Amino acid sequence: MRIVHLIWGLKVGGSETMLGDIANEQVSSAQVVLVVGNGVIDGSVLQALNAKIDTRLVHRPPASRNPWHIMKLIYALREIGPDIIHVHQNSFATLAPFLSAPMVLTVHDMNGDLQHLEKFAAVYAISEAVRQDIVARHPGVTPIVIHNGINFAKVTRKTRYGGDPFRIVQIGRLYHETKGQHVLLKALHHLKSELPEKQVEVDFVGEGISHEYLCSLAEGLGIAGSCRFLGQQSRSLIYERLHTYDLLVQPSRSEGFGLAVVEAMAAGVPVLVSDIEGPMEIIDHGNNGYCFRTGDHLDCSEKIARIIKESAHETFTAQRRESAIYARRRFDVAATARRYLEEYEKVICLNGERSKNEKRVN
């Protein structure tokens, strides 16, 4: 099977990083070609790819309307001659009429601008929450859930709990209207008044347009000394350092999945998420993690205080071990890659039957 993974840009974090993991798994049993449409490429993501993956860079300037770049992309895809094209943005739907190979789409976010879904041979959703969102807005579509996954073997495991200072990490794009980092800052401010004897620190990993606002908010709340904004970090560094934290908090207001939550669970780090569909699905609706009411910084603060207290108990280590086992059973990237391969086979088979029928008619 010859697979093309098609994406506009290749940056650290999110779907691009996970795509690399899936491609690395699939290349052991299939021919894999990664085609990157735009010139937005992070070298560290390319370096993490298996050498057997054939990488093609089209170098289209982002948002360019020059048809030459689209024609160049179509030509590259035709030259490769794939059995299936797996795309990760629905804007690639416009290419479908010019290609003979079936095109499938993975939807990574909720409330996205999804158009021309009928052009895809199959639509996949990274979580049940995303599937329900697609169906609600596009009733004629029948998405298939294939969960995101990570390489658990690469994550360093935590062995000691109840740290002092108690170190919290939040990982994600700094866009507070969606990711809710301001809720965590307000929770930290309230926690310091409720537990003045406990030193609590928060590291924010990621970049985004809310950086200045969040720094200003931390200053205004008088907690800037307890917060660090570390910027974007490589995933290898995150995997190496996650175990040094005592808690991961994801206070998102909208989230289709939440890969950082899985990564923390793999590291044996407790997780606290807002009670929205995607993250709640990951923690098995509270059975393998903690949750707070979305947008409620007081509830967030209360739950952090509870976790600080419980982390001193002897049973806490065993609970985190069980959560890591649960996460690996559901979100291992090897299983993710295998599920995609199984679904590709179905699409390719149907496409072959359709082509035979068309030839008979003609």
Side-chain angles (χ1 to χ4, degrees):
M1 184 191 305
R2 181 173 295 175
I3 306 161
V4 163
H5 284 286
L6 178 59
I7 196 165
W8 282 123
L10 204 60
K11 300 175 290 183
V12 173
S15 58
E16 293 93 339
T17 300
M18 197 203 69
L19 167 59
D21 283 345
I22 292 172
N24 284 342
E25 291 288 336
Q26 291 177 338
V27 79
S28 63
S29 57
Q31 290 181 287
V32 179
V33 183
L34 175 63
V35 178
V36 184
N38 287 348
V40 182
I41 302 167
D42 189 289
S44 65
V45 180
L46 286 179
Q47 291 172 7
L49 294 175
N50 189 303
K52 294 181 180 179
I53 297 173
D54 181 5
T55 304
R56 311 283 182 95
L57 309 178
V58 178
H59 295 296
R60 167 184 174 265
S64 171
R65 295 183 178 274
N66 188 337
W68 161 247
H69 299 292
I70 300 300
M71 293 303 298
K72 184 179 177 183
L73 180 57
I74 292 171
Y75 177 80
L77 293 170
R78 286 178 171 176
E79 183 183 39
I80 294 166
D83 297 302
I84 194 162
I85 302 171
H86 187 169
V87 306
H88 299 266
Q89 288 102 2
N90 79 297
S91 56
F92 284 117
T94 56
L95 303 183
F98 304 99
L99 302 167
S100 58
M103 186 179 287
V104 297
L105 167 72
T106 291
V107 180
H108 296 269
D109 301 306
M110 298 176 67
N111 304 312
D113 182 19
L114 300 178
Q115 299 180 24
H116 310 299
L117 292 184
E118 72 281 356
K119 295 184 182 297
F120 297 103
V123 176
Y124 309 118
I126 63 171
S127 67
E128 177 60 24
V130 172
R131 187 196 71 81
Q132 292 180 10
D133 179 66
I134 296 170
V135 171
R137 294 186 294 123
H138 302 275
V141 179
T142 55
I144 299 165
V145 175
I146 301 181
H147 286 121
N148 280 352
I150 67 166
N151 189 330
F152 280 73
K154 292 185 177 181
V155 183
T156 304
R157 287 292 307 278
K158 187 175 184 65
T159 56
R160 299 178 62 185
Y161 296 89
D164 191 16
F166 190 85
R167 304 182 67 234
I168 299 172
V169 64
Q170 194 281 319
I171 302 173
R173 184 165 42 95
L174 298 184
Y175 183 46
H176 70 280
E177 292 183 3
T178 300
K179 298 297 184 180
Q181 287 94 351
H182 64 300
V183 177
L184 178 54
L185 287 175
K186 292 177 181 178
L188 177 61
H189 173 255
H190 183 263
L191 187 67
K192 285 186 172 295
S193 63
E194 294 294 308
L195 295 176
E197 74 285 356
K198 186 69 177 180
Q199 186 177 351
V200 182
E201 302 172 349
V202 177
D203 283 352
F204 293 90
V205 177
E207 298 174 345
I209 60 174
S210 292
H211 181 268
E212 185 176 343
Y213 165 78
L214 293 169
C215 288
S216 177
L217 178 61
E219 288 283 353
L221 292 171
I223 57 171
S226 300
C227 301
R228 294 192 302 174
F229 292 87
L230 304 181
Q232 191 70 54
Q233 294 189 355
S234 69
R235 189 181 41 164
S236 60
L237 189 61
I238 291 173
Y239 282 10
E240 179 184 321
R241 294 182 178 176
L242 251 179
H243 77 284
T244 66
Y245 291 96
D246 300 292
L247 174 66
L248 176 128
V249 179
Q250 290 297 89
S252 304
R253 302 171 69 88
S254 176
E255 191 84 67
F257 189 72
L259 206 60
V261 178
V262 177
E263 293 166 342
M265 293 171 73
V269 175
V271 295
L272 173 63
V273 304
S274 50
D275 60 352
I276 54 177
E277 296 90 340
M280 289 297 288
E281 188 175 335
I282 294 174
I283 67 168
D284 192 23
H285 303 280
N287 291 319
N288 284 281
Y290 300 84
C291 64
F292 70 95
R293 290 186 296 273
T294 303
D296 188 338
H297 72 277
L298 295 178
D299 192 36
C300 181
S301 174
E302 181 182 321
K303 296 299 168 54
I304 294 173
R306 172 184 164 186
I307 295 165
I308 291 173
K309 182 179 180 180
E310 291 185 358
S311 65
H313 296 170
E314 292 182 2
T315 58
F316 199 75
T317 301
Q319 291 169 350
R320 303 286 69 77
R321 189 181 302 116
E322 288 299 316
S323 292
I325 293 171
Y326 164 82
R328 186 164 196 161
R329 191 166 61 245
R330 291 199 68 194
F331 307 117
D332 192 312
V333 72
T336 302
R338 187 166 55 250
R339 279 292 316 281
Y340 275 123
L341 289 173
E342 292 168 355
E343 294 300 326
Y344 296 162
E345 290 283 4
K346 296 176 185 177
V347 170
I348 292 169
C349 182
L350 286 173
N351 188 64
E353 289 296 326
R354 191 179 298 112
S355 297
K356 289 179 183 178
N357 291 336
E358 288 175 355
K359 287 179 181 179
R360 290 194 190 101
V361 171
N362 294 332

